[in-house]
Amino acid sequence: MRETVQQVWKKRPMIISGPCSAETEEQVLETATRLAKTGKVDMLRAGIWKPRTRPGSFEGIGAKGLPWMQQAKKITGLPVTVEVATAKQVEDALTFEVDVLWIGARTTVNPFSVQDVADALRGVDVPVLIKNPINPDLELWIGAVERVAKAGIKQVGLIHRGFSSYGNTEYRNAPMWHLAIEMKRRNPELLMINDPSHISGRRDILLDVAQKAIDLDMDGLIIESHIDPDKAWSDAKQQITPERLGEMLGQIAWRKEDINSEEYHAALEKLRQQINHLDDELMQILGQRMSIAEKIGEYKKNNNITILQTNRWNEILERAFKKGEKLNLSKEFITKYFDAVHMESINHQNKIMNS
Ligand code: PEP
Ligand code: MN
């Protein structure tokens, strides 16, 4: 049965899939048909205009691909979404009955572009998904949400697609999950979909990223799929076939936010109280640690010694790594934790030494 875009918007998890780019009519229609056949996809996606980082890459088929999406919708009964970056693209997409628009990461960074899109949306009733900006800046992301909402768009959603950084990492775009969590905390009324494709940049870790997103209570997934992934005109390395997508969605452990069980809630409450208790103790101890750092600051001040002593800092870290290993604490965590504690100590000493 055909679902309206309003029904799909409320569906959890909401699954969006389709090629990175619309390439040919056959490719769009065959991808759409095979996706619909999995029975696990709620909306079709395809890039029509592709903002590429470097010129010379495939920059999208353009408005000529819009009737293909319209046809894909007709054949499958699934709503469709495309990326828009200019007022003209909004107008063209709406002419061809695109159901949901999305704003890409390279557009979200630019308030002029977002405003241009927002102005074109005035008086239009179409849901809009807004990808995080390519740089880890929540204010820019929130700014884009505000511009679109101010234009009168009632249904705004977020897509977490990770953040770019210089140099090769495990991910094409670092997920920086804490930023997605903070964005959700600050905008609890907005749905948030995760984009494992653009985070991963490759097929072998798609499932892990998708599972993590579901574990963090994201509302859905947008995953790129292609009938012949290796031959895709853009983002070939991260695309999977519609059948593989169906299989992958079957492997994800879908979690719910809560259940109606007294036993579960009682057990959780008990453990959470223990955590609160330990957190209180940790804070007490950190406070004590800072008082000692201040005493050291007094001595350093009286003897005119620098705050930072690299040898001592190395010694602290080495000790912590050794101890951490025994306590099952990762080196990454120990580094972050001690960096933070050390900075706070330095700030305390700074106050003493410069008072
Ligand atoms: C895309 O979805 O194909 C795309 C270009 O994504 P992003 O804006 O996240 O780079
Ligand atoms: Mn892509």
Side-chain angles (χ1 to χ4, degrees):
M1 205 194 67
R2 175 177 289 241
E3 278 179 313
T4 66
V5 66
Q6 299 308 331
Q7 287 168 314
V8 167
W9 195 258
K10 289 196 200 99
K11 207 159 168 187
R12 298 293 177 270
M14 188 205 291
I15 306 295
I16 305 176
S17 188
C20 177
S21 304
E23 298 163 5
T24 66
E25 183 169 15
E26 298 68 45
Q27 170 247 10
V28 168
L29 297 185
E30 191 183 331
T31 312
T33 317
R34 283 165 52 181
L35 283 171
K37 215 167 144 204
T38 67
K40 291 177 176 157
V41 172
D42 307 303
M43 199 185 303
L44 300 172
R45 65 150 280 157
I48 296 289
W49 302 278
K50 300 299 299 178
R52 306 313 293 176
T53 302
R54 305 273 304 269
S57 316
F58 175 57
E59 295 196 307
I61 204 73
K64 143 181 182 200
L66 289 170
W68 309 341
M69 293 301 278
Q70 200 175 26
Q71 185 64 11
K73 166 156 109 170
K74 216 181 209 168
I75 295 174
T76 60
L78 295 171
V80 298
T81 181
V82 306
E83 174 176 353
V84 290
T86 66
K88 177 75 169 84
Q89 291 170 4
V90 171
E91 193 191 305
D92 287 350
L94 295 176
T95 304
F96 286 91
E97 299 174 298
V98 169
D99 300 281
V100 172
L101 303 175
W102 97 73
I103 295 180
R106 289 165 193 75
T107 304
T108 308
V109 283
N110 185 344
F112 282 147
S113 298
V114 174
Q115 194 58 53
D116 189 37
V117 168
D119 289 341
L121 288 169
R122 237 169 259 283
V124 179
D125 185 20
V126 64
V128 177
L129 292 165
I130 304 178
K131 285 199 169 195
N132 67 254
I134 46 179
N135 55 328
D137 184 342
L138 287 195
E139 296 306 314
L140 266 177
W141 200 0
I142 292 169
V145 170
E146 286 169 347
R147 285 175 201 278
V148 170
K150 271 196 181 154
I153 296 297
K154 300 258 169 343
Q155 290 166 289
V156 178
L158 305 167
I159 300 177
H160 169 229
R161 52 78 82 191
F163 302 88
S164 68
S165 60
Y166 182 70
N168 282 332
T169 57
E170 181 185 3
Y171 301 103
R172 176 176 173 195
N173 291 293
M176 302 195 186
W177 297 103
H178 60 289
L179 292 184
I181 293 168
E182 176 60 11
M183 188 68 180
K184 236 166 115 70
R185 192 186 67 76
R186 283 163 69 170
N187 302 275
E189 72 292 356
L190 303 183
L191 68 93
M192 186 182 283
I193 289 176
N194 181 261
D195 177 347
S197 302
H198 292 89
I199 288 177
S200 305
R202 52 186 233 235
R203 287 169 207 136
D204 60 323
I205 55 171
L206 276 179
L207 178 58
D208 283 351
V209 172
Q211 182 66 62
K212 177 104 192 228
I214 295 308
D215 289 345
L216 291 176
D217 194 31
M218 299 258 184
D219 298 301
L221 301 169
I222 177 166
I223 299 180
E224 289 182 343
S225 56
H226 194 284
I227 47 172
D228 192 355
D230 285 331
K231 297 218 175 88
W233 297 1
S234 59
D235 290 354
K237 285 200 194 104
Q238 69 198 32
Q239 302 204 59
I240 52 177
T241 62
E243 293 70 32
R244 173 66 196 131
L245 177 85
E247 195 176 71
M248 215 178 90
L249 292 172
Q251 288 167 334
I252 293 175
W254 301 98
R255 323 267 191 210
K256 38 192 179 296
E257 195 183 3
D258 210 349
I259 53 164
N260 205 350
S261 146
E262 246 172 63
E263 193 191 330
Y264 160 83
H265 282 281
L268 210 66
E269 188 48 36
K270 226 168 146 181
L271 292 170
R272 284 184 169 160
Q273 278 181 8
Q274 287 179 32
I275 293 228
N276 284 352
H277 183 68
L278 289 172
D279 279 345
D280 288 348
E281 276 185 33
L282 274 173
M283 304 270 274
Q284 288 280 350
I285 291 173
L286 282 170
Q288 285 171 16
R289 192 192 191 282
M290 294 309 151
S291 321
I292 295 179
E294 285 173 13
K295 278 194 193 125
I296 294 180
E298 298 278 359
Y299 278 102
K300 284 184 183 167
K301 181 178 180 174
N302 294 336
N303 293 284
N304 220 10
I305 307 281
T306 58
I307 293 183
L308 178 68
Q309 281 153 330
T310 310
N311 284 346
R312 170 64 183 149
W313 176 225
N314 282 335
E315 183 191 315
I316 290 179
L317 276 181
E318 281 311 315
R319 282 192 68 215
F321 288 151
K322 266 196 205 126
K323 187 124 192 139
E325 206 177 311
K326 287 192 196 117
L327 292 169
N328 206 12
L329 300 170
S330 73
K331 214 167 171 173
E332 186 196 352
F333 168 72
I334 296 275
T335 309
K336 274 193 196 145
Y337 171 78
F338 274 91
D339 267 341
V341 169
H342 187 230
M343 263 330 287
E344 183 70 9
S345 268
I346 286 179
N347 290 342
H348 277 256
Q349 289 196 357
N350 219 337
K351 250 189 231 147
I352 297 286
M353 293 182 71
N354 295 306
S355 63

